[in-house]
Amino acid sequence: MTDITPIPGLFSQLLPLLAQRAILITVSKLEDGDQLQVNICPRLLKEGENQALTTPLSVCGNAAELDVELVPQVASFVAAQVRLHSNLSAIQKELAAAERAARDEASKKHKTVGNGGKKPEPQPLNLFDTPAEEGD
């Protein structure tokens, strides 16, 4: 007997991406005879996410071609999406940390500037003081 390792199927390939977001899959028959179009569209999970994370994969071919070619293409697509998401997450965390550090530093500088940045109130003149001239 030959030991054959089964090739993971479409849904096994989609699992890593499904851990991060919902996916919409559409299959349409095109007017070109036996041609099909498959679209795999990752969805935004929250407002403000990078639009690159929702770039769809669109593949056209006949049923036999899709049976052979779709799973490897989905595997590559998912790998790229997961890498992109991981990279974006790291960048967003670094930017947030840098922003907090800059805010903290600015707050420390503001507190150490004498009276907190307030203008000094003018002292009232007494009878023997002479008013300061403009430009002193």
Side-chain angles (χ1 to χ4, degrees):
M1 249 176 113
T2 308
D3 186 22
I4 299 174
T5 305
I7 299 171
L10 176 65
F11 294 101
S12 296
Q13 296 297 329
L14 288 172
L15 274 177
L17 187 55
L18 284 167
Q20 298 174 357
R21 62 190 59 257
I23 300 170
L24 175 66
I25 300 174
T26 60
V27 180
S28 306
K29 186 170 182 335
L30 301 177
E31 293 178 12
D32 298 348
D34 64 348
Q35 294 292 297
L36 302 174
Q37 180 173 356
V38 178
N39 298 305
I40 298 176
C41 307
R43 311 309 295 164
L44 284 179
L45 292 182
K46 54 188 169 194
E47 194 68 32
E49 280 187 314
N50 190 310
Q51 292 295 318
L53 295 172
T54 62
T55 302
L57 171 67
S58 184
V59 182
C60 294
N62 63 40
E65 292 169 333
L66 291 173
D67 285 342
V68 173
E69 299 290 329
L70 184 61
V71 171
Q73 286 194 25
V74 168
S76 295
F77 174 72
V78 169
Q81 287 283 338
V82 170
R83 262 193 321 272
L84 177 61
H85 182 266
S86 296
N87 188 25
L88 281 175
S89 294
I91 290 169
Q92 289 170 338
K93 287 177 185 176
E94 288 175 20
L95 288 174
E99 185 179 333
R100 279 191 302 276
R103 217 176 308 126
D104 291 346
E105 184 66 26
S107 177
K108 287 177 187 175
K109 284 182 182 179
H110 183 67
K111 287 180 182 176
T112 59
V113 176
N115 62 1
K118 296 178 185 171
K119 289 186 177 180
E121 293 186 25
Q123 296 293 326
L125 297 175
N126 70 31
L127 185 61
F128 300 103
D129 288 335
T130 57
E133 291 191 23
E134 294 288 322
D136 261 357

